[in-house]
């Protein structure tokens, strides 16, 4: 066993290399088990004889009944791996070629030779080509150094292997290697076959979150998740990983980025103002039964279409004149569409109004009323109240007696006096205007007393819009 140090040194020398059935995750592997050395392979002179008793372990194989080899390897990519193997054995069956014939050979005991070998190899595995996760055939080439006691020599190696994987990282490795010796003297250092059987363990893969998916293949290496989602969690189990799920704790639909749509109206619950009642997308998921653009929850008349500005109810027409209250200037008095819902004065009514106005009497040369005029003014006020949307012009006129300036002022004051009376008796100020025209618009002659009386007048005229 004095060459054991040589074996250990050789292993460390090749520690930067490796081979086995590793992958991009578990790049490293270690394999250990038993080996068998068969020197008959080089003693047979024909290919048929060499392979005819290939597995004749009973007569030709040298086996040490203990762990007798160790392999350390590393995957380098594209199916290739490199590594080193150290092995020990004891040679008690040495196959010699018999003199006089090349077909016969004999097995002798060379005296319990101690066998050491340190080998490096490059291996190519075919498992990916077979698309298998269990059966892993391979081929390998390499070289090494072998000692029989103190006699050492280099070898060129080549062979085949087959690994059966029990799990992703544990397997049974079988391998046969032909080692061609560079020594000419066969009895000193023959070429031979070496067979290996052992357990192999892959390692080196990193799985930070412990979900069984290596970090290099894990789309979420720091958060545990199932394989079907490449290692990313799906808390609500809706098939959408949490990082892409807008509602990671509520099972939902892909079309809504993982959010639910409880009422099935096409609006995700998180955006649905009425998540439990089917509605319209345009209404944020709320129903609008009457289709008036006002959701039922806000519609004061949910079954009758109406404008939003009236709470979803149709506008009323209180007076039934065909003009909606919102547009009706006289909503409680029946009128005409042309007059915005207010009643219109007829020419007859205007004439009646002016007939009253002509009976308004003022104190001489003043803008104050005579007592008998007050009932006339009240009658005029009552008529104006019947037409609340109508506007009126109150005109004052005089005869030609006196100066023009005096008559102008007097006509203005008398018209204003009538306007003020009407305002004081309930007529809106914005409905009334007043103006004085003095003696400029006579309706009769100023040469007779009767004509002058007709010219001294107040007229109430309808202002048409």
């Amino acid at each position: 066993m004095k060459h054991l140090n040589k074996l250990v040194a050789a292993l460390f020398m090749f520690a930067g290399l490796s081979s086995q059935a590793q992958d991009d995750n578990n790049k490293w592997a270690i394999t250990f088990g038993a080996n068998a050395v068969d020197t008959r392979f080089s003693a047979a002179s024909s290919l048929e004889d060499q392979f005819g008793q290939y597995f004749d372990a009973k007569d030709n194989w040298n086996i040490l009944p203990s762990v007798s080899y160790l392999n350390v390897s590393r995957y380098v990519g594209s199916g290739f791996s490199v590594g080193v193997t150290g092995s020990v054995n004891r040679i008690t069956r040495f196959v010699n070629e018999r003199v006089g014939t090349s077909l016969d050979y004999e097995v002798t005991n060379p005296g319990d030779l101690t066998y050491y070998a340190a080998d490096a190899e490059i291996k190519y595995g075919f498992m990916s080509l077979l698309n298998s996760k269990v059966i892993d055939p391979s081929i390998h080439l390499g070289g090494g150094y072998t000692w029989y006691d103190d006699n050492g020599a280099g070898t060129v190696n080549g062979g085949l292997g087959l690994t059966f994987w029990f799990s992703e990282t544990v397997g049974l490795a079988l391998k046969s290697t032909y080692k061609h010796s560079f020594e000419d003297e066969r009895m000193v250092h023959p070429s031979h076959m070496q067979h290996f059987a052992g357990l192999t363990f892959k390692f080196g893969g990193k799985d930070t979150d412990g979900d069984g998916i290596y970090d290099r293949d894990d789309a979420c290496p720091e958060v545990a998740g199932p394989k079907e989602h490449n290692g990313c969690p799906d808390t609500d189990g809706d098939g959408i990983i949490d990082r892409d799920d807008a509602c990671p704790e509520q099972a939902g639909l892909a079309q809504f980025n993982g959010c639910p749509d409880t009422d099935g109206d096409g609006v995700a619950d998180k955006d649905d103002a009425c998540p439990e009642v089917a509605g319209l997308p345009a209404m944020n998921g709320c129903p609008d039964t009457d289709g008036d653009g006002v959701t039922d929850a806000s519609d004061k008349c949910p079954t009758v279409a109406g404008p939003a500005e009236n709470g979803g109810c149709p506008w009323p027409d209180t007076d039934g004149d065909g003009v909606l209250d919102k547009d009706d200037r006289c909503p409680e008095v029946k009128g005409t569409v042309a007059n915005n819902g207010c009643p219109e004065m007829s020419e007859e009514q205007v004439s009646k109004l002016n007939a009253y106005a002509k009976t308004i009497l003022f104190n001489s040369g003043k803008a104050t009323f005579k007592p008998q005029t007050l009932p006339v003014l009240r009658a005029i006020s009552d008529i104006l109240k019947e037409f609340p949307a109508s506007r009126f012009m109150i005109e004052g006129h005089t005869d030609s007696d006196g100066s023009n300036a005096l008559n102008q002022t007097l006509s203005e004051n008398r018209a204003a006096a009538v306007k003020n009376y009407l305002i004081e008796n309930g007529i809106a100020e914005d409905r009334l205007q007043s103006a004085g025209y003095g003696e400029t618009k006579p309706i009769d002659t100023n040469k007779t007393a009767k004509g002058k009386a007709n010219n001294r007048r107040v007229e109430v005229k309808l202002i048409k819009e």
Side-chain angles (χ1 to χ4, degrees):
M1 300 295 286
K2 63 182 179 179
H3 293 295
L4 184 58
N5 289 336
K6 297 179 182 179
L7 175 60
V8 174
L11 284 173
F12 278 104
M13 177 181 68
F14 292 109
L17 305 174
S18 58
S19 80
Q20 282 302 345
Q22 300 95 292
D23 52 40
D24 284 332
N25 288 307
N26 291 294
K27 292 181 179 293
W28 289 94
I30 185 170
T31 306
F32 58 87
N35 78 92
V37 177
D38 181 5
T39 61
R40 182 195 61 81
F41 196 88
S42 61
S45 59
S46 69
L47 188 64
E48 179 182 357
D49 193 27
Q50 288 173 342
F51 287 98
Q53 300 182 29
Y54 184 81
F55 292 107
D56 191 358
K58 177 180 178 182
D59 295 331
N60 305 319
W61 286 15
N62 296 277
I63 301 174
L64 195 64
S66 66
V67 175
S68 57
Y69 87 95
L70 175 68
N71 173 276
V72 179
S73 58
R74 191 176 192 280
Y75 183 75
V76 295
S78 300
F80 288 95
S81 54
V82 294
V84 293
T85 302
S87 59
V88 295
N89 211 316
R90 185 171 299 279
I91 305 301
T92 59
R93 296 182 177 90
F94 196 90
V95 181
N96 295 304
E97 184 179 353
R98 285 187 176 179
V99 178
T101 175
S102 61
L103 298 178
D104 298 326
Y105 49 83
E106 60 182 356
V107 179
T108 63
N109 187 336
D112 292 346
L113 293 176
T114 302
Y115 175 97
Y116 299 94
D119 302 290
E121 65 184 18
I122 299 174
K123 187 189 76 170
Y124 180 77
F126 296 91
M127 186 166 68
S128 61
L129 297 179
L130 297 177
N131 195 27
S132 172
K133 294 184 178 180
V134 177
I135 300 174
D136 182 17
S138 61
I139 185 172
H140 59 271
L141 295 172
Y145 208 86
T146 302
W147 292 268
Y148 291 88
D149 280 345
D150 293 330
N151 296 316
T155 61
V156 173
N157 307 332
L160 302 173
L162 181 62
T163 301
F164 298 94
W165 292 102
F166 307 133
S167 68
E168 187 177 1
T169 56
V170 180
L172 172 64
L174 306 174
K175 181 172 66 173
S176 291
T177 302
Y178 172 67
K179 294 184 174 182
H180 183 77
S181 175
F182 292 102
E183 292 291 335
D184 292 334
E185 188 176 351
R186 171 180 154 66
M187 289 299 296
V188 175
H189 211 288
S191 298
H192 59 282
M193 290 291 294
Q194 188 172 19
H195 310 289
F196 301 88
L199 292 175
T200 182
F201 300 89
K202 293 190 291 185
F203 62 94
K206 185 179 181 182
D207 180 14
T208 301
D209 54 21
D211 59 3
I213 302 172
Y214 296 109
D215 287 2
R216 62 172 293 125
D217 299 323
D218 197 328
C220 302
E222 296 183 358
V223 184
K227 289 185 177 180
E228 58 265 29
H229 295 307
N230 294 324
C232 288
D234 175 19
T235 302
D236 54 21
D238 59 4
I240 302 171
I241 61 176
D242 289 358
R243 71 179 183 187
D244 297 330
D245 198 327
C247 302
E249 296 182 357
Q250 294 177 287
L253 306 173
Q255 68 186 97
F256 300 122
N257 294 324
C259 289
D261 176 18
T262 301
D263 53 21
D265 59 4
V267 181
D269 287 359
K270 70 181 184 67
D271 301 320
D272 198 327
C274 305
E276 296 182 357
V277 182
L280 305 172
M283 298 282 104
N284 293 325
C286 290
D288 176 18
T289 301
D290 54 20
D292 59 5
V294 181
T295 62
D296 290 358
S298 304
D299 199 328
K300 295 179 181 178
C301 304
T303 60
V304 181
E309 53 267 32
N310 196 41
C313 292
W315 289 108
D317 178 14
T318 302
D319 54 20
D321 59 4
V323 181
L324 300 178
D325 286 1
K326 72 181 183 69
D327 302 318
D328 198 329
R329 294 177 63 182
C330 305
E332 296 181 359
V333 180
K334 191 172 184 178
T336 65
V337 175
N339 200 35
N340 298 319
C342 289
E344 293 186 86
M345 291 187 75
S346 65
E347 291 297 328
E348 181 181 352
Q349 289 169 320
V350 173
S351 298
K352 182 180 179 181
L353 185 62
N354 280 305
Y356 276 115
K358 289 178 181 180
T359 64
I360 297 173
L361 300 175
F362 294 93
N363 292 310
S364 180
K366 297 180 181 180
T368 56
F369 303 112
K370 287 186 177 183
Q372 61 267 38
T373 297
L374 295 179
V376 175
L377 291 172
R378 284 195 292 271
I380 293 174
S381 176
D382 291 341
I383 292 174
L384 266 57
K385 289 178 181 178
E386 292 179 12
F387 304 94
S390 298
R391 298 172 63 238
F392 299 91
M393 172 64 77
I394 301 171
E395 297 180 353
H397 302 272
T398 68
D399 58 25
S400 60
D401 291 345
S403 66
N404 289 339
L406 181 62
N407 286 335
Q408 178 64 36
T409 300
L410 182 60
S411 66
E412 291 176 358
N413 290 341
R414 284 180 173 177
V418 175
K419 175 184 175 183
N420 291 335
Y421 176 87
L422 295 173
I423 292 172
E424 291 172 358
N425 284 271
I427 305 303
E429 183 176 359
D430 61 358
R431 296 178 58 200
L432 302 173
Q433 296 181 26
S434 66
Y437 295 96
E439 56 188 77
T440 61
K441 294 184 177 182
I443 59 172
D444 205 342
T445 180
N446 280 311
K447 294 181 178 181
T448 65
K450 182 179 179 181
K452 289 179 181 180
N454 288 333
N455 289 334
R456 294 191 300 271
R457 70 194 186 277
V458 172
E459 293 183 1
V460 181
K461 294 184 176 180
L462 178 66
I463 299 175
K464 295 183 178 180
E465 301 294 339

